[in-house]
């Protein structure tokens, strides 16, 4: 069965430093990978996705993610963190074209960026 | 219009009440979803509608009843809920239900069951 793991419940970063939020996945077919962000008392916002092609995916708000097939990872990165990036981040996966719309979410990583 | 709207933002109801949550999108998306989310946890899928037909029901109790009157609207009818049903209810939509389609989420309805 497909699954997603976010090994860190919380990540703390100083403003201006690079940030990484980790995600590993397990699927039986080709992975379709997504990152979402959730600000307090808000819905989830789509950041970026990997379907196929270039392993480095660029998304919204300066975020990017690197797909690594051999390590089954899809880590989210940003070169310079902002205090406003503080939020809850979810990695998600779908397995194969016939998944019928179901996203499998990781448990979430709370990112805290301090001035 | 590139957003999903949900009403109401907050809802407090007793265990014997009947209420409805409403979701609307005007992006021409043909798949719509209901999720339940507890604090600081990932969303849990409840229902998926594809082309206005229910395609997935994640074994949700019958006190939750979804309805898709047209391609832009999605309702969730609530009846005889339990206190443990208190949560943030999120609606989402996507262009189709295929795996490559990202979902766009509404802001949610914060439900409290007394």
């Amino acid at each position: 069965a497909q699954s997603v793991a976010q090994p860190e419940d919380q990540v703390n970063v100083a403003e201006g430093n690079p940030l990484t939020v980790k995600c590993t996945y397990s699927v039986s077919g080709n992975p379709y990978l997504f990152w979402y962000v959730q600000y307090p008392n808000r819905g989830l916002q789509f950041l970026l996705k990997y379907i196929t092609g270039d392993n480095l995916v660029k998304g919204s708000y300066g975020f990017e993610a690197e797909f690594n097939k051999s390590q089954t990872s899809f880590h989210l990165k940003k070169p310079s963190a902002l205090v406003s990036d503080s939020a809850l981040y979810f990695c998600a996966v779908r397995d194969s074209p016939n998944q019928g719309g179901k996203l499998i979410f990781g448990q979430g990583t709370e990112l805290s960026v301090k001035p | 219009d590139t957003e999903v709207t949900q009403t109401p933002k907050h809802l407090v109801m007793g265990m014997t009440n009947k209420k409805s949550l409403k979701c609307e999108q005007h992006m021409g998306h043909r798949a719509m979803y209901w999720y339940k989310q507890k604090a600081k946890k990932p969303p849990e899928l409840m229902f998926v509608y594809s082309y206005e037909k229910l395609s997935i029901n994640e074994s949700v109790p019958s006190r939750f009843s979804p309805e898709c009157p047209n391609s832009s609207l999605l309702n969730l009818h609530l009846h005889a809920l339990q206190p443990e049903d208190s949560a943030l209810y999120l609606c989402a939509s996507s262009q189709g239900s295929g795996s490559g389609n990202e979902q766009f989420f509404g802001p949610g309805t914060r439900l409290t069951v007394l």
Side-chain angles (χ1 to χ4, degrees):
Chain A
Q2 57 271 27
S3 64
V4 177
Q6 293 181 241
E8 300 156 319
D9 290 336
Q10 182 149 15
V11 170
N12 297 308
V13 176
E15 188 175 30
N17 282 2
L19 70 86
T20 299
V21 183
K22 295 180 180 176
C23 171
T24 58
Y25 66 89
S26 174
V27 299
S28 55
N30 293 322
Y32 293 69
L33 295 156
F34 303 80
W35 274 104
Y36 288 86
V37 60
Q38 186 172 30
Y39 297 99
N41 300 312
R42 303 285 295 277
L44 278 68
Q45 292 180 33
F46 168 73
L47 281 178
L48 50 81
K49 67 180 178 182
Y50 173 83
I51 304 300
T52 185
D54 196 348
N55 289 344
L56 185 63
V57 179
K58 292 192 183 299
S60 306
Y61 313 119
F63 284 94
E64 58 189 27
E66 186 166 12
F67 172 68
N68 188 316
K69 189 172 182 178
S70 62
Q71 296 185 7
T72 61
S73 67
F74 189 56
H75 300 332
L76 182 70
K77 300 183 180 188
K78 188 174 183 182
S80 179
L82 299 172
V83 172
S84 57
D85 293 329
S86 298
L88 185 56
Y89 290 79
F90 290 103
C91 182
V93 68
R94 282 198 186 127
D95 177 17
S96 85
N98 299 320
Q99 192 58 17
K102 185 172 179 178
L103 273 175
I104 309 298
F105 285 94
Q107 286 302 302
T109 297
E110 191 146 18
L111 174 67
S112 177
V113 182
K114 293 287 198 281
Chain B
D1 190 347
T2 57
E3 66 173 359
V4 176
T5 59
Q6 289 187 244
T7 54
K9 287 189 176 151
H10 300 275
L11 179 62
V12 179
M13 59 187 290
M15 289 191 283
T16 58
N17 291 158
K18 284 186 183 180
K19 297 285 185 185
S20 296
L21 309 185
K22 181 179 171 182
C23 172
E24 196 163 1
Q25 58 88 13
H26 294 288
M27 294 180 277
H29 289 173
R30 303 314 301 263
M32 295 186 77
Y33 312 78
W34 279 115
Y35 288 88
K36 173 183 177 181
Q37 186 183 28
K38 293 281 196 178
K40 309 244 180 180
K41 297 292 187 185
E44 300 168 30
L45 182 67
M46 300 174 72
F47 303 102
V48 180
Y49 274 83
S50 180
Y51 289 85
E52 299 161 50
K53 286 188 167 44
L54 184 65
S55 59
I56 295 178
N57 176 342
E58 289 286 297
S59 304
V60 178
S62 60
R63 58 185 184 268
F64 295 91
S65 175
E67 178 196 20
C68 189
N70 60 55
S71 59
S72 301
L73 279 175
L74 187 65
N75 298 320
L76 186 63
H77 302 298
L78 315 172
H79 174 53
L81 294 192
Q82 304 296 310
E84 60 264 29
D85 296 322
S86 298
L88 182 68
Y89 287 83
L90 295 166
C91 174
S93 70
S94 62
Q95 194 163 8
S97 60
S99 292
N101 292 296
E102 61 270 30
Q103 295 179 17
F104 294 85
F105 285 79
T109 293
R110 177 78 57 190
L111 175 67
T112 303
V113 182
L114 301 176

